[in-house]
Amino acid sequence: MVPGPESFEPWLRALTGFSEARVRAIEPVDGGASNITCRVTLDGVEVPYVCLRVQRERGIFEPYDVVREGEVIRMLEKSAVPVPRMLGSESTAVPLGAPFIVMEWVDAPHMGIAADADFGAFTRAVVAIHQAAWEELGLGFIGVPGSVGAALEAELNAVAARMTNFGCADDPVLRLALNALRRTIPTDGRVALCQGDINIFNYLFRGGEVVAVVDWEQARLSDPRSDVGQLTALSHLKGAPWGDADAQGFVLAYGAAAGARLTGMAWFRARWLFELGVIYHGWVGFNASEPWYSWPDVSGLLVQAIAELD
């Protein structure tokens, strides 16, 4: 759902500094399955663009809450984590038919296409997120778990809840994986701010450094290894050789940047292959086509991953 300029402009003009703004165009940004992101072209104000993010009704990361996402970003403006500046939010379905947030437009490419993207800078940015003082920043509103185990159980439950909606609740591989993951939830580790989706498309680069981290809809307080496990699982789907989960490239790079080696990564690799398996079915249901990976690919890796847990 991409709103028309005539419905957004009156709301925007009520924001401080935008009383003379004229909305020339609202264009969706390609890619992703997050809340709907648009670039809004303006006249009559100093900034040529703002970013409009409209809540999606259904999708692979449902349920969505774009206002919550906006509050996470607003709190992080006070931290060392680079984020876009929040300009305003609307929690009702008026005037665009769904809640939305408005942020500054960061004119920088994401890591997937940035010519100056640097893996080390990306890794340091992820570490900075996990080292953020979430209590001091006021991020407890996103839900403080009683323990690491409780946080990871909540992650599993959120993914499992989507299985019914995506028509895969009875898939034998996913059921086997969910049961194995629940039996073996780690209880070590620490609770930290996690982005929840650290894929490279959410890291914007300029001058070889990360200038903004975007897409905070899955932000949570959990074990940092959960974020790292996502990239580990994705790397195998993209062809990285299987091996010791604690010795994977990003795991080692992260440990070096954080100053502490990560261990116990087998569970987190399996946990993310499980979620990617559920995402596969949701993607097919919403788009009538496969995502960039196939079911045999993800299910085969998932079986291999859960065999390591028992």
Side-chain angles (χ1 to χ4, degrees), residues 3 26 47 111 139 178 226 294:
I26 301 178
V47 295
M111 187 176 176
L139 285 165
L178 179 58
S226 183
S294 72

Side-chain angles (χ1 to χ4, degrees), residues 51-309:
C51 177
L52 170 65
R53 197 153 159 86
V54 183
Q55 185 167 303
R56 190 184 291 273
E57 182 177 358
R58 297 293 312 278
I60 60 173
F61 292 122
E62 60 185 44
Y64 295 92
D65 187 344
V66 75
V67 173
R68 174 187 183 274
E69 178 183 7
E71 284 305 301
V72 171
I73 295 170
R74 194 188 307 277
M75 297 298 102
L76 285 172
E77 289 179 30
K78 301 175 289 184
S79 76
V81 179
V83 291
R85 183 169 60 93
M86 277 289 298
L87 300 174
S89 66
E90 176 58 60
S91 61
T92 74
V94 180
L96 303 187
F100 60 89
I101 59 176
V102 180
M103 301 172 284
E104 69 170 323
W105 178 263
V106 179
D107 191 16
H110 63 69
M111 187 176 176
I113 59 174
D116 60 354
D118 178 78
F119 185 73
F122 165 73
T123 306
R124 291 190 296 274
V126 176
V127 170
I129 292 169
H130 297 157
Q131 292 179 342
W134 60 265
E135 290 179 287
E136 295 176 14
L137 291 169
L139 285 165
F141 76 90
I142 63 177
V144 181
S147 65
V148 168
L152 298 176
E153 183 178 15
E155 289 187 24
L156 288 180
N157 290 342
V159 179
R162 297 174 191 140
M163 292 171 65
T164 298
N165 294 341
F166 296 172
C168 57
D170 296 325
D171 181 89
V173 173
L174 294 177
R175 295 304 309 178
L176 179 68
L178 179 58
N179 290 335
L181 288 164
R182 281 178 167 159
R183 285 197 310 270
T184 57
I185 291 176
T187 56
D188 62 337
R190 67 185 180 94
V191 172
L193 174 65
C194 295
Q195 187 188 1
D197 187 8
I198 67 165
N199 78 71
I200 62 174
F201 305 109
N202 293 334
Y203 289 71
L204 310 186
F205 269 82
R206 188 186 303 124
E209 293 294 332
V210 177
V211 294
V213 182
V214 299
D215 285 8
W216 290 89
E217 64 200 4
Q218 297 295 306
R220 51 183 169 255
L221 298 177
S222 188
D223 192 313
R225 291 176 294 179
S226 183
D227 271 353
V228 177
Q230 180 190 23
L231 235 62
T232 305
L234 288 170
S235 69
H236 290 304
L237 274 176
K238 292 179 179 179
W242 194 263
D244 182 359
D246 292 350
Q248 296 301 306
F250 184 62
V251 176
L252 296 176
Y254 178 96
R261 181 171 175 266
L262 293 183
T263 59
M265 287 301 303
W267 189 91
F268 296 92
R269 174 166 64 182
R271 168 255 182 275
W272 265 101
L273 286 167
F274 165 65
E275 179 160 358
L276 288 164
V278 174
I279 285 173
Y280 173 88
H281 290 280
W283 187 279
V284 171
F286 292 125
N287 300 285
S289 64
E290 287 192 325
W292 57 269
Y293 56 91
S294 72
W295 175 245
D297 287 342
V298 69
S299 61
L301 288 169
L302 180 55
V303 168
Q304 196 168 354
I306 60 176
E308 299 179 339
L309 302 183

